[in-house]
Amino acid sequence: KKTEPTIIIVFGGTGDLSKRKLIPAFYNLFLDGWMPDKLAIYGLGRSEMDNESFQIKLFDGLSEFSRSGVPEPESWEKFKKNLNYLPSNINDQKSYKELLNEIEELEEEWGQRANRLYYLSVAPKFIETVCRNLKSFKLVDDQNKDRIIIEKPFGYDKDSAISLNKMLQELFDEDQIFRIDHYLGKETVQNILAFRFANTLFEPLWNRNYIDYIQITVAEDVGIGDRGGYYEGAGALRDMIQNHLLQILCMIAMEPPVTFEAEEIRNRKVDVLKAIRRIPIEEVHNYAVRGQYASGWIKGKEVLGYRDENDTNRHSQTETFAAIKFYIDNWRWQDVPVYLRTGKRMQEKTSSINIQFRPVPHMTFPTSHSDNLTPNRLTINIQPHMDIKLRFMTKKTGLEMNLNSSEMIFNYDSCSTQSPEAYETLLLDAMLGDTTLFMRSDQVEEAWDVLSTIQQAWEKGGEDFPNYVAGSWGPEKAEALIARQGHFWTMDI
Ligand code: BG6
């Protein structure tokens, strides 16, 4: 893999994402030798600032958020030469003209047309303006070299996602559009494909004949922080399920791809979304549970309820928790329940996938000796613990034939190299033009379609919020949802 001379332009360059994720990712790629010698990064923002103040701001961000900690003076000096700030106004054509001048001057100095990578870290309402201007000022005119990365939320529902895609595809080639879902860049999520398709051991069992049910949990202990303005109009369904959780589900449930090509992988993933059974609107309450946190205690600290956070509505009906039971209607997964669950202000930050296998078909051992016989379970811990655990039964050491549950664990701590951050993987892929880990238009639309009746049912409001205390595992109804079939949420913390 080799990166070409590149100019990176970050719209929203002074924003939080840029400081916490993007610049640290670029810096770590630079440290690891992935960045081309000819590199320029432009942060664009409304405030007036010179390059030096911009660099200082980013230095602070790096020191706080980069996995490599406070930058070493020598590498920082080298890296910061690439960082520029350009005051600009998204709505003003003059700003695009100035940007074009900057880029062309640089390309002239380099003696070649560079790759141009535009990162749109801006509110959704600005995406169209930026894209149209990029196109009309010929900032994006080379189909093979110019790319655009777009952050979620990608639309608000199916119809808005379709119009957004239509607009983008009118202006750019699909290969130039990188719809980012940072979960796909996580080491543990990428490993799902290796685990499933680079081993013979698991795939023969990976179906309705052996798997009882699947559950995916993405729990956070944080609240909505200072994102009330955004979150109030989003909620857990749009913020997490539509993208991160459904994407993980696709990796777990997809058929084996024939090659590791972007389109092949994306085709197999979209097949899963198409096969997910649509929940009739009048049945939504039997399949989906929502929650909103009340005040409570997390790790010894008292925290506010959602309705008392900044920029939220005192009578808000926005959900901060969602749990859904899905079925996938195909040969592999017919009748296997798949439970997804996510929430803010839960007891712990933990994301995991649990594949619960069926119990043994016949009990050989006397019941008295096998009280604690538990079915096999595979746990893929995504974060913050990163491991893969396989639970199986063994004989307890001793003179009697007693059974015991044991575990085989693959622990990432034993790996020789440190895991890159999700954004490092994804930004490098975007620089290389590899779309495998990015969402294609049809995936996004199909994911919205899967949720559309739930959205409609929930939009009617009427839920008795708040219905779970901060620091708990969500509303009681979420326990009931899974318990109905004798299943339970698995915690592995
Ligand atoms: C983002 C959501 O996409 O993912 C946030 O908008 C959420 O609400 C975040 O907190 C979680 O990401 P991570 O990588 O910390 O699990």
Side-chain angles (χ1 to χ4, degrees):
K1 286 185 182 178
K2 176 132 183 38
T3 43
E4 313 243 323
T6 303
I7 302 174
I8 297 165
I9 299 99
V10 183
F11 285 89
T14 50
D16 219 40
L17 185 76
S18 171
K19 186 168 92 178
R20 280 171 186 264
K21 299 285 184 190
L22 306 181
I23 300 296
F26 289 133
Y27 180 63
N28 287 319
L29 287 171
F30 171 82
L31 287 186
D32 292 345
W34 288 105
M35 284 304 201
D37 293 338
K38 288 178 180 158
L39 169 73
I41 301 175
Y42 285 90
L44 268 51
R46 256 177 311 177
S47 31
E48 286 296 332
M49 205 189 311
D50 56 17
N51 280 354
E52 205 185 335
S53 327
F54 182 58
Q55 290 167 356
I56 292 172
K57 201 171 144 76
L58 297 182
F59 181 88
D60 295 343
L62 274 171
S63 310
E64 198 177 341
F65 302 112
S66 165
R67 71 176 163 90
S68 49
V70 182
E72 298 283 335
E74 205 183 316
S75 357
W76 171 245
E77 283 307 312
K78 279 192 200 150
F79 180 69
K80 81 172 198 191
K81 289 194 189 115
N82 305 301
L83 296 174
N84 312 282
Y85 182 72
L86 210 58
S88 86
N89 177 348
I90 283 180
N91 292 312
D92 187 352
Q93 303 205 332
K94 215 172 89 206
S95 295
Y96 296 89
K97 184 84 195 101
E98 280 167 14
L99 178 62
L100 182 66
N101 289 345
E102 280 282 330
I103 292 178
E104 285 181 344
E105 258 174 47
L106 198 61
E107 286 177 344
E108 205 174 304
E109 198 182 298
W110 289 355
Q112 69 187 107
R113 173 65 159 81
N115 284 7
R116 300 173 186 173
L117 183 67
Y118 299 91
Y119 201 111
L120 272 55
S121 173
V122 296
K125 62 176 182 217
F126 295 122
I127 291 184
E128 179 159 3
T129 313
V130 176
C131 288
R132 293 209 181 275
N133 280 301
L134 288 179
K135 183 72 182 178
S136 59
F137 281 88
K138 299 207 164 33
L139 283 148
V140 179
D141 63 348
D142 187 328
Q143 262 189 27
N144 299 316
K145 287 181 174 286
D146 301 338
R147 294 164 194 141
I148 294 180
I149 305 183
I150 296 179
E151 266 292 331
K152 62 168 257 276
F154 203 83
Y156 182 78
D157 56 12
K158 190 179 178 193
D159 290 343
S160 55
I162 292 177
S163 358
L164 187 53
N165 280 330
K166 220 168 135 228
M167 183 274 294
L168 289 170
Q169 285 164 339
E170 192 188 298
L171 301 174
F172 317 114
D173 198 71
E174 177 68 27
D175 284 349
Q176 296 180 281
I177 310 168
F178 289 71
R179 298 174 191 82
I180 201 162
D181 181 329
H182 77 282
Y183 266 61
L184 296 179
K186 290 185 192 277
E187 195 68 49
T188 38
V189 174
Q190 290 184 71
N191 199 12
I192 297 171
L193 293 192
F195 182 81
R196 287 192 57 200
F197 304 127
N199 296 295
T200 46
L201 213 51
F202 309 106
E203 207 44 32
L205 309 181
W206 210 260
N207 57 53
R208 63 192 304 274
N209 298 324
Y210 295 95
I211 293 178
D212 200 4
Y213 63 100
I214 296 173
Q215 53 175 282
I216 302 173
T217 294
V218 177
E220 297 183 276
D221 56 358
V222 292
I224 51 137
D226 51 13
R227 298 164 76 223
Y230 151 76
Y231 200 87
E232 185 61 16
L237 201 64
R238 293 188 174 93
D239 186 48
M240 299 293 287
I241 306 257
Q242 190 273 344
N243 35 77
H244 309 324
L245 278 92
L246 282 177
Q247 285 296 316
I248 297 177
L249 170 58
C250 287
M251 315 267 281
I252 290 292
M254 69 196 262
E255 292 302 313
V258 175
T259 63
F260 202 60
E261 311 260 296
E263 292 323 312
E264 171 68 6
I265 306 260
R266 301 205 290 182
N267 287 341
R268 295 294 76 81
K269 284 168 71 180
V270 85
D271 285 348
V272 175
L273 295 169
K274 284 185 189 150
I276 293 180
R277 190 181 306 164
R278 291 351 187 211
I279 304 170
I281 188 158
E282 62 283 2
E283 287 286 322
V284 165
H285 62 283
N286 285 327
Y287 288 83
V289 170
R290 59 190 151 147
Q292 188 194 72
Y293 59 85
S295 59
W297 291 80
I298 293 188
K299 299 196 176 106
K301 212 179 134 232
E302 193 166 13
V303 298
L304 293 177
Y306 176 75
R307 290 177 175 182
D308 294 321
E309 302 270 21
N310 284 339
D311 301 325
T312 61
N313 188 320
R314 297 312 101 189
H315 305 285
S316 175
Q317 280 288 316
T318 300
E319 80 284 354
T320 59
F321 173 98
I324 309 175
K325 175 169 77 171
F326 283 119
Y327 284 100
I328 302 171
D329 288 331
N330 63 16
W331 275 59
R332 188 188 281 265
W333 296 118
Q334 196 64 45
D335 297 333
V336 177
V338 180
Y339 301 96
L340 306 188
R341 170 176 71 152
T342 185
K344 300 230 181 259
R345 284 287 187 229
M346 313 222 6
Q347 208 176 89
E348 293 279 341
K349 177 175 172 72
T350 173
S351 301
S352 63
I353 303 163
N354 278 286
I355 313 286
Q356 184 68 58
F357 289 89
R358 289 188 187 281
V360 290
H362 166 72
M363 179 40 73
T364 304
F365 306 94
T367 344
S368 59
H369 291 167
S370 51
D371 281 353
N372 55 358
L373 183 88
T374 39
N376 296 119
R377 183 170 69 218
L378 179 81
T379 303
I380 300 176
N381 280 314
I382 296 175
Q383 63 180 30
H385 299 296
M386 294 167 54
D387 60 26
I388 301 180
K389 283 187 187 159
L390 183 63
R391 185 178 71 176
F392 57 105
M393 297 307 296
T394 50
K395 178 188 168 298
K396 244 187 207 164
T397 46
L399 297 174
E400 282 178 305
M401 187 48 159
N402 283 326
L403 300 178
N404 201 17
S405 172
S406 305
E407 276 176 342
M408 278 199 286
I409 305 179
F410 161 64
N411 196 331
Y412 285 75
D413 294 343
S414 60
C415 299
S416 54
T417 45
Q418 205 191 10
S419 299
E421 286 274 342
Y423 275 93
E424 292 172 44
T425 305
L426 295 173
L427 291 171
L428 178 62
D429 281 358
M431 288 171 68
L432 294 164
D434 182 349
T435 51
T436 315
L437 296 179
F438 292 83
M439 294 191 290
R440 204 169 55 189
S441 58
D442 53 345
Q443 284 178 308
V444 174
E445 290 166 18
E446 210 60 51
W448 280 119
D449 192 64
V450 165
L451 301 181
S452 86
T453 50
I454 306 177
Q455 280 188 301
Q456 287 162 28
W458 287 4
E459 259 154 28
K460 293 188 184 138
E463 192 68 37
D464 196 10
F465 282 160
N467 60 354
Y468 71 97
V469 232
S472 69
W473 286 109
E476 274 171 22
K477 276 189 191 165
E479 303 298 327
L481 173 80
I482 194 165
R484 228 174 284 149
Q485 273 159 280
H487 302 152
F488 55 91
W489 296 111
T490 305
M491 296 317 306
D492 180 58
I493 45 176

